[in-house]
Amino acid sequence: MLLFLILAMFSCNRATRDVAQQTFLYDAANLANQHNGFYTKAGQVDVAAKDVEDQRELSITLHNGAASPKNIKIFQKKEAKSPDLKSGKYEVLFLRSALIFNDPATGQSVEFVVKNEDFDALKAKLPTNYFNKNAMEVIGIAIYGKPDVLAL
């Protein structure tokens, strides 16, 4: 019984330490500044999805008081795979043709890209493999509000 308690104590401590070690996107604030995007390090993000005609629309609201813009809409084909993006705390990086939501606690990210000439040029300027292979291709990304603040 004592051995079980000791093992349980060490496993709980290990799990707590893993969550405490947050993983942030590499050089995100600088990249946002260089590519006329925006970045917020950590903030509450609310996500709602609805189907509109032949598209799925994700409405995202940023609740970090220092973050601007406050609202984002992502448009994707209705038949496309639904993103695994739930409301929660995220690091948000927008780079014109790409939008990344990173959960610093888990290091898991959900990436949206609009594959066009702008995206190809952007990708060539970023560090190798900045986007993962599972980045979701979308029709468009609309930003509402003035993206003039890098909320650190």
Side-chain angles (χ1 to χ4, degrees), residues 41-79:
K41 189 168 184 176
Q44 179 63 33
V45 173
D46 288 335
V47 180
K50 67 180 178 179
D51 290 340
V52 179
E53 296 178 14
D54 62 338
Q55 296 179 1
R56 180 177 301 117
E57 178 184 297
L58 294 176
S59 276
I60 298 161
T61 305
L62 304 177
H63 293 286
N64 181 346
S68 179
K70 302 287 186 202
N71 298 299
I72 302 169
K73 289 193 180 191
I74 300 170
F75 303 93
Q76 67 181 145
K77 294 178 182 174
K78 192 184 268 188
E79 64 273 3

mmCIF file of all heavy atoms in Angstrom, residues 41-79:
data_model
loop_
_atom_site.group_PDB
_atom_site.id
_atom_site.type_symbol
_atom_site.label_atom_id
_atom_site.label_comp_id
_atom_site.label_asym_id
_atom_site.label_seq_id
_atom_site.Cartn_x
_atom_site.Cartn_y
_atom_site.Cartn_z
ATOM 1 N N LYS A 41 -0.281 36.358 -26.961
ATOM 2 C CA LYS A 41 0.406 35.235 -26.318
ATOM 3 C C LYS A 41 -0.540 34.289 -25.609
ATOM 4 O O LYS A 41 -0.380 33.078 -25.703
ATOM 5 C CB LYS A 41 1.468 35.751 -25.351
ATOM 6 C CG LYS A 41 2.360 34.655 -24.815
ATOM 7 C CD LYS A 41 3.566 35.203 -24.102
ATOM 8 C CE LYS A 41 4.481 34.086 -23.668
ATOM 9 N NZ LYS A 41 5.693 34.590 -23.064
ATOM 10 N N ALA A 42 -1.492 34.789 -24.889
ATOM 11 C CA ALA A 42 -2.425 33.898 -24.200
ATOM 12 C C ALA A 42 -3.709 34.652 -23.926
ATOM 13 O O ALA A 42 -3.683 35.761 -23.413
ATOM 14 C CB ALA A 42 -1.827 33.399 -22.896
ATOM 15 N N GLY A 43 -4.807 34.049 -24.269
ATOM 16 C CA GLY A 43 -6.089 34.681 -24.032
ATOM 17 C C GLY A 43 -7.223 33.709 -24.259
ATOM 18 O O GLY A 43 -7.063 32.682 -24.912
ATOM 19 N N GLN A 44 -8.356 34.055 -23.707
ATOM 20 C CA GLN A 44 -9.547 33.229 -23.876
ATOM 21 C C GLN A 44 -10.075 33.387 -25.297
ATOM 22 O O GLN A 44 -10.201 34.496 -25.799
ATOM 23 C CB GLN A 44 -10.626 33.630 -22.871
ATOM 24 C CG GLN A 44 -11.911 32.832 -22.983
ATOM 25 C CD GLN A 44 -11.735 31.351 -22.698
ATOM 26 O OE1 GLN A 44 -10.911 30.969 -21.882
ATOM 27 N NE2 GLN A 44 -12.503 30.520 -23.368
ATOM 28 N N VAL A 45 -10.370 32.271 -25.925
ATOM 29 C CA VAL A 45 -10.889 32.231 -27.282
ATOM 30 C C VAL A 45 -12.189 31.447 -27.261
ATOM 31 O O VAL A 45 -12.230 30.331 -26.759
ATOM 32 C CB VAL A 45 -9.879 31.549 -28.237
ATOM 33 C CG1 VAL A 45 -10.465 31.349 -29.607
ATOM 34 C CG2 VAL A 45 -8.585 32.351 -28.305
ATOM 35 N N ASP A 46 -13.262 32.045 -27.766
ATOM 36 C CA ASP A 46 -14.543 31.348 -27.883
ATOM 37 C C ASP A 46 -14.775 31.016 -29.342
ATOM 38 O O ASP A 46 -14.606 31.868 -30.222
ATOM 39 C CB ASP A 46 -15.694 32.201 -27.345
ATOM 40 C CG ASP A 46 -15.658 32.296 -25.825
ATOM 41 O OD1 ASP A 46 -15.105 31.388 -25.183
ATOM 42 O OD2 ASP A 46 -16.186 33.275 -25.292
ATOM 43 N N VAL A 47 -15.187 29.773 -29.598
ATOM 44 C CA VAL A 47 -15.373 29.284 -30.960
ATOM 45 C C VAL A 47 -16.814 28.820 -31.146
ATOM 46 O O VAL A 47 -17.345 28.085 -30.307
ATOM 47 C CB VAL A 47 -14.418 28.102 -31.243
ATOM 48 C CG1 VAL A 47 -14.605 27.583 -32.658
ATOM 49 C CG2 VAL A 47 -12.971 28.491 -30.988
ATOM 50 N N ALA A 48 -17.436 29.253 -32.224
ATOM 51 C CA ALA A 48 -18.781 28.790 -32.590
ATOM 52 C C ALA A 48 -18.761 28.474 -34.081
ATOM 53 O O ALA A 48 -18.117 29.172 -34.864
ATOM 54 C CB ALA A 48 -19.819 29.860 -32.290
ATOM 55 N N ALA A 49 -19.453 27.406 -34.472
ATOM 56 C CA ALA A 49 -19.495 27.011 -35.877
ATOM 57 C C ALA A 49 -20.934 26.962 -36.357
ATOM 58 O O ALA A 49 -21.839 26.615 -35.604
ATOM 59 C CB ALA A 49 -18.841 25.645 -36.057
ATOM 60 N N LYS A 50 -21.120 27.334 -37.624
ATOM 61 C CA LYS A 50 -22.443 27.204 -38.231
ATOM 62 C C LYS A 50 -22.264 27.014 -39.734
ATOM 63 O O LYS A 50 -21.254 27.426 -40.315
ATOM 64 C CB LYS A 50 -23.325 28.411 -37.935
ATOM 65 C CG LYS A 50 -22.875 29.715 -38.573
ATOM 66 C CD LYS A 50 -23.808 30.853 -38.223
ATOM 67 C CE LYS A 50 -23.318 32.155 -38.840
ATOM 68 N NZ LYS A 50 -24.186 33.269 -38.547
ATOM 69 N N ASP A 51 -23.231 26.361 -40.343
ATOM 70 C CA ASP A 51 -23.226 26.173 -41.783
ATOM 71 C C ASP A 51 -23.999 27.307 -42.430
ATOM 72 O O ASP A 51 -25.102 27.647 -41.990
ATOM 73 C CB ASP A 51 -23.853 24.831 -42.164
ATOM 74 C CG ASP A 51 -22.966 23.659 -41.762
ATOM 75 O OD1 ASP A 51 -21.752 23.874 -41.557
ATOM 76 O OD2 ASP A 51 -23.478 22.535 -41.644
ATOM 77 N N VAL A 52 -23.401 27.915 -43.452
ATOM 78 C CA VAL A 52 -24.023 28.995 -44.198
ATOM 79 C C VAL A 52 -23.942 28.621 -45.674
ATOM 80 O O VAL A 52 -22.851 28.600 -46.241
ATOM 81 C CB VAL A 52 -23.306 30.341 -43.949
ATOM 82 C CG1 VAL A 52 -23.936 31.453 -44.753
ATOM 83 C CG2 VAL A 52 -23.275 30.671 -42.473
ATOM 84 N N GLU A 53 -25.093 28.282 -46.253
ATOM 85 C CA GLU A 53 -25.182 27.826 -47.641
ATOM 86 C C GLU A 53 -24.219 26.678 -47.873
ATOM 87 O O GLU A 53 -24.331 25.644 -47.237
ATOM 88 C CB GLU A 53 -24.973 28.995 -48.599
ATOM 89 C CG GLU A 53 -26.070 30.044 -48.485
ATOM 90 C CD GLU A 53 -25.845 31.214 -49.401
ATOM 91 O OE1 GLU A 53 -25.012 31.136 -50.320
ATOM 92 O OE2 GLU A 53 -26.523 32.233 -49.192
ATOM 93 N N ASP A 54 -23.206 26.845 -48.735
ATOM 94 C CA ASP A 54 -22.300 25.742 -49.047
ATOM 95 C C ASP A 54 -20.981 25.818 -48.269
ATOM 96 O O ASP A 54 -20.010 25.165 -48.618
ATOM 97 C CB ASP A 54 -22.015 25.696 -50.546
ATOM 98 C CG ASP A 54 -21.317 26.946 -51.043
ATOM 99 O OD1 ASP A 54 -21.411 27.993 -50.369
ATOM 100 O OD2 ASP A 54 -20.672 26.883 -52.110
ATOM 101 N N GLN A 55 -20.953 26.631 -47.204
ATOM 102 C CA GLN A 55 -19.735 26.796 -46.419
ATOM 103 C C GLN A 55 -19.989 26.563 -44.931
ATOM 104 O O GLN A 55 -21.110 26.674 -44.455
ATOM 105 C CB GLN A 55 -19.182 28.219 -46.577
ATOM 106 C CG GLN A 55 -18.752 28.569 -47.956
ATOM 107 C CD GLN A 55 -18.252 30.002 -48.036
ATOM 108 O OE1 GLN A 55 -18.215 30.736 -47.058
ATOM 109 N NE2 GLN A 55 -17.859 30.406 -49.236
ATOM 110 N N ARG A 56 -18.908 26.255 -44.223
ATOM 111 C CA ARG A 56 -18.937 26.227 -42.762
ATOM 112 C C ARG A 56 -18.203 27.481 -42.297
ATOM 113 O O ARG A 56 -17.157 27.828 -42.829
ATOM 114 C CB ARG A 56 -18.216 24.989 -42.225
ATOM 115 C CG ARG A 56 -18.226 24.936 -40.696
ATOM 116 C CD ARG A 56 -17.586 23.676 -40.129
ATOM 117 N NE ARG A 56 -18.272 22.495 -40.628
ATOM 118 C CZ ARG A 56 -17.693 21.562 -41.386
ATOM 119 N NH1 ARG A 56 -16.432 21.665 -41.733
ATOM 120 N NH2 ARG A 56 -18.365 20.512 -41.801
ATOM 121 N N GLU A 57 -18.794 28.157 -41.349
ATOM 122 C CA GLU A 57 -18.211 29.393 -40.830
ATOM 123 C C GLU A 57 -17.858 29.193 -39.363
ATOM 124 O O GLU A 57 -18.714 28.849 -38.550
ATOM 125 C CB GLU A 57 -19.229 30.528 -40.968
ATOM 126 C CG GLU A 57 -18.775 31.850 -40.426
ATOM 127 C CD GLU A 57 -19.872 32.893 -40.522
ATOM 128 O OE1 GLU A 57 -20.287 33.229 -41.655
ATOM 129 O OE2 GLU A 57 -20.328 33.345 -39.458
ATOM 130 N N LEU A 58 -16.598 29.417 -39.037
ATOM 131 C CA LEU A 58 -16.171 29.415 -37.641
ATOM 132 C C LEU A 58 -16.087 30.858 -37.185
ATOM 133 O O LEU A 58 -15.377 31.663 -37.793
ATOM 134 C CB LEU A 58 -14.789 28.771 -37.489
ATOM 135 C CG LEU A 58 -14.665 27.298 -37.790
ATOM 136 C CD1 LEU A 58 -13.216 26.864 -37.689
ATOM 137 C CD2 LEU A 58 -15.506 26.489 -36.832
ATOM 138 N N SER A 59 -16.816 31.202 -36.139
ATOM 139 C CA SER A 59 -16.756 32.538 -35.551
ATOM 140 C C SER A 59 -15.928 32.441 -34.284
ATOM 141 O O SER A 59 -16.236 31.654 -33.397
ATOM 142 C CB SER A 59 -18.153 33.030 -35.186
ATOM 143 O OG SER A 59 -18.767 33.591 -36.284
ATOM 144 N N ILE A 60 -14.900 33.256 -34.223
ATOM 145 C CA ILE A 60 -13.969 33.210 -33.101
ATOM 146 C C ILE A 60 -13.918 34.585 -32.458
ATOM 147 O O ILE A 60 -13.759 35.598 -33.150
ATOM 148 C CB ILE A 60 -12.583 32.780 -33.588
ATOM 149 C CG1 ILE A 60 -12.698 31.366 -34.161
ATOM 150 C CG2 ILE A 60 -11.563 32.839 -32.474
ATOM 151 C CD1 ILE A 60 -11.600 30.954 -35.053
ATOM 152 N N THR A 61 -14.074 34.604 -31.154
ATOM 153 C CA THR A 61 -14.008 35.852 -30.392
ATOM 154 C C THR A 61 -12.822 35.780 -29.442
ATOM 155 O O THR A 61 -12.676 34.817 -28.695
ATOM 156 C CB THR A 61 -15.301 36.076 -29.585
ATOM 157 O OG1 THR A 61 -16.411 36.028 -30.485
ATOM 158 C CG2 THR A 61 -15.284 37.411 -28.877
ATOM 159 N N LEU A 62 -11.968 36.806 -29.478
ATOM 160 C CA LEU A 62 -10.815 36.897 -28.575
ATOM 161 C C LEU A 62 -11.208 37.756 -27.386
ATOM 162 O O LEU A 62 -11.706 38.866 -27.562
ATOM 163 C CB LEU A 62 -9.626 37.535 -29.295
ATOM 164 C CG LEU A 62 -9.167 36.871 -30.591
ATOM 165 C CD1 LEU A 62 -8.028 37.656 -31.208
ATOM 166 C CD2 LEU A 62 -8.764 35.441 -30.351
ATOM 167 N N HIS A 63 -10.990 37.246 -26.191
ATOM 168 C CA HIS A 63 -11.379 37.977 -24.987
ATOM 169 C C HIS A 63 -10.206 38.561 -24.219
ATOM 170 O O HIS A 63 -10.386 39.082 -23.135
ATOM 171 C CB HIS A 63 -12.179 37.066 -24.045
ATOM 172 C CG HIS A 63 -13.502 36.678 -24.606
ATOM 173 N ND1 HIS A 63 -14.562 37.550 -24.677
ATOM 174 C CD2 HIS A 63 -13.931 35.526 -25.160
ATOM 175 C CE1 HIS A 63 -15.592 36.945 -25.226
ATOM 176 N NE2 HIS A 63 -15.242 35.715 -25.534
ATOM 177 N N ASN A 64 -9.014 38.483 -24.760
ATOM 178 C CA ASN A 64 -7.856 39.084 -24.120
ATOM 179 C C ASN A 64 -8.004 40.593 -24.272
ATOM 180 O O ASN A 64 -8.031 41.102 -25.386
ATOM 181 C CB ASN A 64 -6.574 38.580 -24.792
ATOM 182 C CG ASN A 64 -5.326 39.136 -24.157
ATOM 183 O OD1 ASN A 64 -5.380 40.094 -23.386
ATOM 184 N ND2 ASN A 64 -4.199 38.544 -24.465
ATOM 185 N N GLY A 65 -8.099 41.317 -23.173
ATOM 186 C CA GLY A 65 -8.369 42.750 -23.202
ATOM 187 C C GLY A 65 -7.390 43.540 -24.042
ATOM 188 O O GLY A 65 -7.744 44.538 -24.642
ATOM 189 N N ALA A 66 -6.132 43.101 -24.127
ATOM 190 C CA ALA A 66 -5.129 43.837 -24.890
ATOM 191 C C ALA A 66 -5.134 43.452 -26.358
ATOM 192 O O ALA A 66 -4.512 44.102 -27.176
ATOM 193 C CB ALA A 66 -3.743 43.583 -24.298
ATOM 194 N N ALA A 67 -5.821 42.372 -26.711
ATOM 195 C CA ALA A 67 -5.789 41.877 -28.088
ATOM 196 C C ALA A 67 -6.692 42.693 -28.994
ATOM 197 O O ALA A 67 -7.790 43.062 -28.630
ATOM 198 C CB ALA A 67 -6.207 40.415 -28.138
ATOM 199 N N SER A 68 -6.199 42.975 -30.159
ATOM 200 C CA SER A 68 -6.985 43.599 -31.194
ATOM 201 C C SER A 68 -6.534 42.941 -32.483
ATOM 202 O O SER A 68 -5.346 42.824 -32.708
ATOM 203 C CB SER A 68 -6.695 45.095 -31.248
ATOM 204 O OG SER A 68 -7.433 45.694 -32.263
ATOM 205 N N PRO A 69 -7.378 42.427 -33.295
ATOM 206 C CA PRO A 69 -8.825 42.530 -33.351
ATOM 207 C C PRO A 69 -9.515 41.612 -32.349
ATOM 208 O O PRO A 69 -8.879 40.786 -31.705
ATOM 209 C CB PRO A 69 -9.128 42.073 -34.777
ATOM 210 C CG PRO A 69 -8.068 41.085 -35.060
ATOM 211 C CD PRO A 69 -6.840 41.609 -34.373
ATOM 212 N N LYS A 70 -10.810 41.756 -32.256
ATOM 213 C CA LYS A 70 -11.596 40.971 -31.308
ATOM 214 C C LYS A 70 -12.310 39.791 -31.952
ATOM 215 O O LYS A 70 -12.634 38.844 -31.277
ATOM 216 C CB LYS A 70 -12.649 41.849 -30.636
ATOM 217 C CG LYS A 70 -12.075 43.037 -29.904
ATOM 218 C CD LYS A 70 -11.386 42.604 -28.646
ATOM 219 C CE LYS A 70 -10.958 43.829 -27.863
ATOM 220 N NZ LYS A 70 -9.914 43.585 -26.943
ATOM 221 N N ASN A 71 -12.587 39.849 -33.260
ATOM 222 C CA ASN A 71 -13.364 38.804 -33.922
ATOM 223 C C ASN A 71 -12.667 38.315 -35.187
ATOM 224 O O ASN A 71 -12.107 39.103 -35.944
ATOM 225 C CB ASN A 71 -14.752 39.326 -34.293
ATOM 226 C CG ASN A 71 -15.529 39.714 -33.066
ATOM 227 O OD1 ASN A 71 -15.782 38.882 -32.212
ATOM 228 N ND2 ASN A 71 -15.889 40.983 -32.962
ATOM 229 N N ILE A 72 -12.771 37.009 -35.404
ATOM 230 C CA ILE A 72 -12.188 36.358 -36.577
ATOM 231 C C ILE A 72 -13.239 35.406 -37.133
ATOM 232 O O ILE A 72 -13.933 34.736 -36.367
ATOM 233 C CB ILE A 72 -10.927 35.553 -36.194
ATOM 234 C CG1 ILE A 72 -9.877 36.449 -35.541
ATOM 235 C CG2 ILE A 72 -10.362 34.838 -37.417
ATOM 236 C CD1 ILE A 72 -8.731 35.690 -34.908
ATOM 237 N N LYS A 73 -13.349 35.346 -38.449
ATOM 238 C CA LYS A 73 -14.215 34.353 -39.092
ATOM 239 C C LYS A 73 -13.368 33.555 -40.064
ATOM 240 O O LYS A 73 -12.594 34.127 -40.830
ATOM 241 C CB LYS A 73 -15.393 34.998 -39.802
ATOM 242 C CG LYS A 73 -16.391 35.552 -38.817
ATOM 243 C CD LYS A 73 -17.692 35.901 -39.455
ATOM 244 C CE LYS A 73 -18.600 36.434 -38.351
ATOM 245 N NZ LYS A 73 -19.950 36.583 -38.756
ATOM 246 N N ILE A 74 -13.544 32.244 -40.013
ATOM 247 C CA ILE A 74 -12.840 31.337 -40.912
ATOM 248 C C ILE A 74 -13.900 30.638 -41.751
ATOM 249 O O ILE A 74 -14.878 30.123 -41.214
ATOM 250 C CB ILE A 74 -12.020 30.305 -40.113
ATOM 251 C CG1 ILE A 74 -10.998 31.014 -39.237
ATOM 252 C CG2 ILE A 74 -11.354 29.304 -41.052
ATOM 253 C CD1 ILE A 74 -10.310 30.113 -38.243
ATOM 254 N N PHE A 75 -13.695 30.639 -43.056
ATOM 255 C CA PHE A 75 -14.646 30.030 -43.976
ATOM 256 C C PHE A 75 -14.005 28.803 -44.612
ATOM 257 O O PHE A 75 -12.896 28.885 -45.129
ATOM 258 C CB PHE A 75 -15.063 31.031 -45.061
ATOM 259 C CG PHE A 75 -15.637 32.291 -44.497
ATOM 260 C CD1 PHE A 75 -14.838 33.394 -44.255
ATOM 261 C CD2 PHE A 75 -16.987 32.368 -44.177
ATOM 262 C CE1 PHE A 75 -15.360 34.566 -43.724
ATOM 263 C CE2 PHE A 75 -17.526 33.529 -43.645
ATOM 264 C CZ PHE A 75 -16.712 34.625 -43.413
ATOM 265 N N GLN A 76 -14.715 27.681 -44.547
ATOM 266 C CA GLN A 76 -14.207 26.474 -45.182
ATOM 267 C C GLN A 76 -15.342 25.773 -45.909
ATOM 268 O O GLN A 76 -16.520 26.064 -45.674
ATOM 269 C CB GLN A 76 -13.528 25.550 -44.165
ATOM 270 C CG GLN A 76 -14.433 24.946 -43.139
ATOM 271 C CD GLN A 76 -13.703 24.066 -42.142
ATOM 272 O OE1 GLN A 76 -14.093 24.058 -41.009
ATOM 273 N NE2 GLN A 76 -12.695 23.339 -42.527
ATOM 274 N N LYS A 77 -14.984 24.878 -46.812
ATOM 275 C CA LYS A 77 -15.989 24.113 -47.532
ATOM 276 C C LYS A 77 -16.774 23.280 -46.539
ATOM 277 O O LYS A 77 -16.216 22.751 -45.575
ATOM 278 C CB LYS A 77 -15.331 23.216 -48.573
ATOM 279 C CG LYS A 77 -14.659 23.991 -49.687
ATOM 280 C CD LYS A 77 -13.987 23.069 -50.671
ATOM 281 C CE LYS A 77 -13.285 23.879 -51.744
ATOM 282 N NZ LYS A 77 -12.507 23.036 -52.652
ATOM 283 N N LYS A 78 -18.069 23.180 -46.772
ATOM 284 C CA LYS A 78 -18.948 22.457 -45.848
ATOM 285 C C LYS A 78 -18.523 21.002 -45.693
ATOM 286 O O LYS A 78 -18.590 20.436 -44.608
ATOM 287 C CB LYS A 78 -20.395 22.531 -46.321
ATOM 288 C CG LYS A 78 -21.394 22.063 -45.272
ATOM 289 C CD LYS A 78 -22.809 22.066 -45.817
ATOM 290 C CE LYS A 78 -23.461 23.380 -45.519
ATOM 291 N NZ LYS A 78 -24.903 23.385 -45.850
ATOM 292 N N GLU A 79 -18.047 20.391 -46.760
ATOM 293 C CA GLU A 79 -17.672 18.984 -46.704
ATOM 294 C C GLU A 79 -16.276 18.757 -46.115
ATOM 295 O O GLU A 79 -15.854 17.625 -45.911
ATOM 296 C CB GLU A 79 -17.766 18.334 -48.093
ATOM 297 C CG GLU A 79 -16.813 18.897 -49.118
ATOM 298 C CD GLU A 79 -17.346 20.112 -49.871
ATOM 299 O OE1 GLU A 79 -18.452 20.594 -49.578
ATOM 300 O OE2 GLU A 79 -16.632 20.587 -50.763
#
